[in-house]
Amino acid sequence: MSAVEVRGLKKSYGEIEAVKGVDFDVQPGETFGFLGPNGAGKSTTIKILCTLAKASGGSASVAGFDVTSQRDQVRRHIGLVFQDTTLDNYLTAELNLRFHAELYGMPRESVAPRLEQVLKMVGLWDRKDSKVITFSGGMKRRLEIARGLMHSPRVLFLDEPTVGLDPQTRASIWQYIHELRQQEEITIFLTTHYMDEAEQCDRIAIMDHGLLVALDTPAALKASVGTDRVTIRTSDDEEALKRLPDAIQTGDGIVLNVEDGEGYVPKLFAELGVPITNVSISKPSLDDVFLSYTGRTIRDSEVNPGMPAFFAAMRR
Amino acid sequence: MTTLPVASVVVPKRTFALDARAIKIVVQRDLIRTFQDRTRFISQLIQPVLFLFVLGSGLSSLTGSATGPIDLRTFMFPGVLATSTLFTAMFSAMSIVWDREFGFLREMLVAPVRRSSIILGKALGGATIATAQAVIVMVLGAFVHVPYTFGLVLTLLAEVFLLSFTLTAFGLAIVARITQVQTVMGLMQMLLLPLSFLSGALYPLSNLPTWLSIVVRFNPLTYAVHPVRTAVFAHLTLPDTVRQRLNPPLTWFGWDVPTWMQLGLVAVMGIGLMLVAIRQFQRVE
């Protein structure tokens, strides 16, 4: 059974078709990256999966439950961590989690041990009695992740889990995500605008103009947009060029476009017959993938801090 | 790193008990938040003090013998109690706009419980806070010669609880679609004083100009103020003429509306407004 199953999903807002028929599956235990420029239909799709919006057509199920007809079952099996904080700043960390446990109807005897487990996982156990308002941005995000995990969801939705955080905090959040994957039998569905984060996903889907334009592992996606680029410097470039008819001489050296750079280089050393003094392999990045599928770089499509976000930032 | 056992998912059946838990925690949170914010709690007590001891004492010198053997402030007390309930209940309802603006409402709305439970929790929370505050206002009442008996205290508390539930539901129905705190502040300013001024909270319903007596009868708050005043007056020993002037029966086209019916009207309005509020919050995209 798939953790998430989407079939012919459509959503229109009046005249505007935000999602125009999308199909995909997410396997249990997978970390699934969901990418796309703003307005691509990404958020709408997630809203439907989280039962926060109704689909206009098609179907979707999460953790085996239909998002339309089994709304509460879906909600009980998913954890949600939104981009904007949804914590009560004036309650303590522990009370925020307890509130969540009550709303999700957790068995009473499991609340205390689970609370300790998730707070320790995100390193906030010693701050459980502090009010959330005293927390830094990174701590709040960690607490939100802990809360999202509180009721042991099967699928955890992370919407831009690290946006607006400094690199160190981002790294630590990812550390928690990795630990989580080892500790719990959980599927992670996340959106991100950071390429290095997308890289850590098992598979990536890219949406654009309401359609799914790509879906595969990061490696396969990169392979699909181009070949590895091997650049060498030799003691005799002219001779090397003669022996490598496909190579191009550039200012950086001799450039070869090959399928499998790592496999090609040892052969090159063995067979070229001209001493090689320097070698580098560069692979197509996910940014190249994103660019080739959407016509924009992932950076360009990053959340444009519009007025609401601006005011939200001012308020902090 | 040690691997923790995979937490098993226990999915409770959707039962009444589950919704009751949700209602309870929403109420609890409102109580915790209110009693943490003592400034707000105390500042809301300033208004009844002003009405009762400043305005009441000041006007007493003006009205003199008009209130007969009773203190003007005793007469004003039921209205002050109802007005302070109105303010507290509406401010409680307003907190949901804050919750929306600061994101916490989302945490509540995505939970696997009925939205009606969340809204009901909010209304009960508002009612509890307003009733708690009413207890303090009732202590003030002792200083203006309100003839307390155990029965009167219970009656007043029950009436205040009913009234505050209805008013919180009214507030929730109004603010349900509002997303900005500034908007709701303005709206409350616009609503609160007219509602209390037009309810007969501060003056008797006798000898009013026709237009005012009509408007007053359309104001829901009137049907809550009157039973409270009637309960207090039932414990006062007064000549009939004074009673007739200060606490005349509430009439519709000359027909005395009985107290139970006035309270019933408040309860029905409370339920109706509650349903409106729930509908407003239940809309899914």
Side-chain angles (χ1 to χ4, degrees):
Chain A
M1 187 192 71
S2 305
V4 178
E5 196 180 295
V6 176
R7 294 285 174 269
L9 194 70
K10 284 182 187 168
K11 174 73 182 178
S12 323
Y13 294 97
E15 295 280 284
I16 304 148
E17 261 192 302
V19 180
K20 301 171 182 166
V22 167
D23 297 79
F24 64 89
D25 284 272
V26 180
Q27 298 312 313
E30 197 173 19
T31 300
F32 190 82
F34 203 52
L35 278 57
N38 280 343
K42 198 173 45 158
S43 314
T44 309
T45 308
I46 293 181
K47 271 190 179 172
I48 296 170
L49 293 180
C50 301
T51 73
L52 294 178
K54 272 190 188 138
S56 322
S59 68
S61 74
V62 175
F65 301 102
D66 186 89
V67 293
T68 319
S69 60
Q70 294 170 295
R71 200 195 70 168
D72 280 3
Q73 290 288 10
V74 170
R75 289 182 173 196
R76 229 182 279 288
H77 285 85
I78 60 175
L80 296 171
V81 179
F82 299 110
Q83 202 171 320
D84 305 316
T85 171
T86 62
L87 296 163
D88 186 334
N89 278 328
Y90 296 94
L91 294 183
T92 63
E94 181 178 346
L95 276 175
N96 266 284
L97 296 196
R98 285 200 178 271
F99 186 90
H100 186 87
E102 291 298 310
L103 276 192
Y104 281 72
M106 279 178 71
R108 280 169 217 280
E109 64 283 1
S110 70
V111 174
R114 182 66 180 167
L115 188 102
E116 186 174 344
Q117 188 186 5
V118 293
L119 278 181
K120 280 186 172 159
M121 181 189 278
V122 298
L124 288 173
W125 176 242
D126 53 332
R127 293 296 303 273
K128 71 184 166 70
D129 297 321
S130 307
K131 282 189 188 170
V132 174
I133 199 160
T134 64
F135 284 14
S136 69
M139 287 162 79
K140 283 186 187 172
R141 203 63 55 88
R142 271 148 58 195
L143 183 60
E144 295 225 38
I145 292 175
R147 188 181 62 184
L149 292 170
M150 186 69 194
H151 57 289
S152 308
R154 297 295 79 181
V155 184
L156 181 65
F157 286 90
L158 300 170
D159 186 16
E160 303 277 352
T162 60
V163 77
L165 301 178
D166 60 89
Q168 216 177 342
T169 315
R170 276 178 57 197
S172 79
I173 298 242
W174 270 95
Q175 177 70 30
Y176 297 124
I177 295 176
H178 285 307
E179 281 172 26
L180 178 66
R181 289 163 73 180
Q182 286 168 7
Q183 291 176 6
E184 311 234 348
E185 201 181 274
I186 195 166
T187 308
I188 299 174
F189 191 108
L190 71 94
T191 69
T192 180
H193 274 95
Y194 295 108
M195 217 167 31
D196 52 326
E197 292 183 354
E199 197 82 56
Q200 306 199 44
C201 299
D202 296 320
R203 284 195 306 152
I204 293 170
I206 300 176
M207 255 191 110
D208 197 25
H209 300 301
L211 291 168
L212 210 60
V213 291
L215 171 62
D216 216 323
T217 61
L221 282 177
K222 285 183 285 189
S224 73
V225 298
T227 50
D228 295 355
R229 172 190 293 208
V230 177
T231 310
I232 54 169
R233 287 184 184 279
T234 64
S235 52
D236 185 354
D237 280 0
E238 255 177 62
E239 184 59 26
L241 276 169
K242 267 184 210 159
R243 297 186 188 188
L244 297 165
D246 296 334
I248 311 152
Q249 174 92 57
T250 71
D252 295 332
I254 297 167
V255 174
L256 294 133
N257 287 310
V258 294
E259 286 294 320
D260 170 21
E262 284 94 342
Y264 181 80
V265 167
K267 272 192 282 174
L268 191 67
F269 272 85
E271 291 165 15
L272 186 61
V274 175
I276 298 170
T277 56
N278 192 312
V279 63
S280 72
I281 306 171
S282 66
K283 302 196 153 282
S285 67
L286 272 182
D287 217 353
D288 297 329
V289 172
F290 200 85
L291 182 67
S292 107
Y293 283 107
T294 68
R296 271 161 285 186
T297 68
I298 204 162
R299 286 267 133 218
D300 292 341
S301 70
E302 192 172 355
V303 207
N304 166 31
M307 290 311 270
F310 171 72
F311 281 122
M314 294 298 288
R315 208 164 45 217
R316 248 161 237 148
Chain B
M1 191 181 64
T2 54
T3 307
L4 294 160
V6 171
S8 61
V9 186
V10 184
V11 178
K13 290 265 179 301
R14 181 180 218 174
T15 58
F16 176 72
L18 212 64
D19 279 297
R21 261 178 97 180
I23 294 170
K24 202 178 131 211
I25 194 73
V26 173
V27 173
Q28 251 175 30
R29 168 174 172 262
D30 270 2
L31 292 183
I32 293 173
R33 287 286 304 270
T34 304
F35 293 111
Q36 265 178 4
D37 189 359
R38 283 191 207 94
T39 321
R40 191 183 82 180
F41 194 74
I42 292 167
S43 68
Q44 282 179 355
L45 281 172
I46 289 176
Q47 194 215 3
V49 170
L50 273 178
F51 268 120
L52 217 49
F53 295 104
V54 178
L55 194 63
S57 304
L59 288 179
S60 290
S61 65
L62 197 66
T63 53
S65 61
T67 53
I70 73 157
D71 192 336
L72 172 71
R73 295 174 302 180
T74 317
F75 166 79
M76 280 174 74
F77 173 75
V80 170
L81 186 63
T83 308
S84 82
T85 305
L86 167 74
F87 275 70
T88 311
M90 292 293 254
F91 274 98
S92 281
M94 240 170 89
S95 72
I96 210 161
V97 182
W98 255 281
D99 285 346
R100 191 197 294 279
E101 198 161 349
F102 291 97
F104 194 76
L105 184 65
R106 207 171 204 196
E107 153 78 358
M108 296 195 266
L109 294 186
V110 299
V113 287
R114 291 186 182 91
R115 287 200 176 169
S116 48
S117 304
I118 306 283
I119 305 305
L120 189 62
K122 272 282 178 191
L124 288 174
T128 313
I129 294 163
T131 310
Q133 204 149 47
V135 172
I136 302 176
V137 177
M138 279 164 67
V139 172
L140 298 180
F143 295 98
V144 295
H145 320 297
V146 176
Y148 283 124
T149 62
F150 185 63
L152 178 60
V153 170
L154 282 190
T155 311
L156 291 183
L157 281 181
E159 284 176 352
V160 164
F161 187 80
L162 174 68
L163 171 63
S164 55
F165 177 83
T166 298
L167 287 173
T168 316
F170 175 54
L172 287 170
I174 289 178
V175 304
R177 312 289 270 170
I178 296 177
T179 51
Q180 283 189 322
V181 171
Q182 287 100 316
T183 317
V184 84
M185 290 287 226
L187 193 69
M188 289 294 167
Q189 290 292 333
M190 200 184 77
L191 274 174
L192 287 178
L193 282 182
L195 266 178
S196 68
F197 281 5
L198 294 173
S199 68
L202 302 173
Y203 46 79
L205 295 178
S206 55
N207 306 322
L208 294 179
T210 317
W211 69 268
L212 185 55
S213 73
I214 292 171
V215 175
V216 161
R217 278 167 177 76
F218 276 104
N219 183 354
L221 199 60
T222 304
Y223 299 93
V225 172
H226 198 260
V228 174
R229 183 169 294 145
T230 304
V232 172
F233 270 65
H235 289 75
L236 294 171
T237 332
L238 289 174
D240 272 352
T241 49
V242 178
R243 188 182 297 279
Q244 194 59 36
R245 197 170 68 240
L246 295 182
N247 187 35
L250 183 51
T251 55
W252 284 343
F253 307 106
W255 176 63
D256 285 11
V257 185
T259 301
W260 66 264
M261 197 171 178
Q262 295 175 28
L263 292 173
L265 209 63
V266 175
V268 168
M269 271 188 296
I271 293 165
L273 289 165
M274 192 71 223
L275 293 177
V276 172
I278 290 169
R279 263 183 74 107
Q280 297 273 353
F281 278 99
Q282 240 154 9
R283 293 196 188 167
V284 194
E285 258 182 50

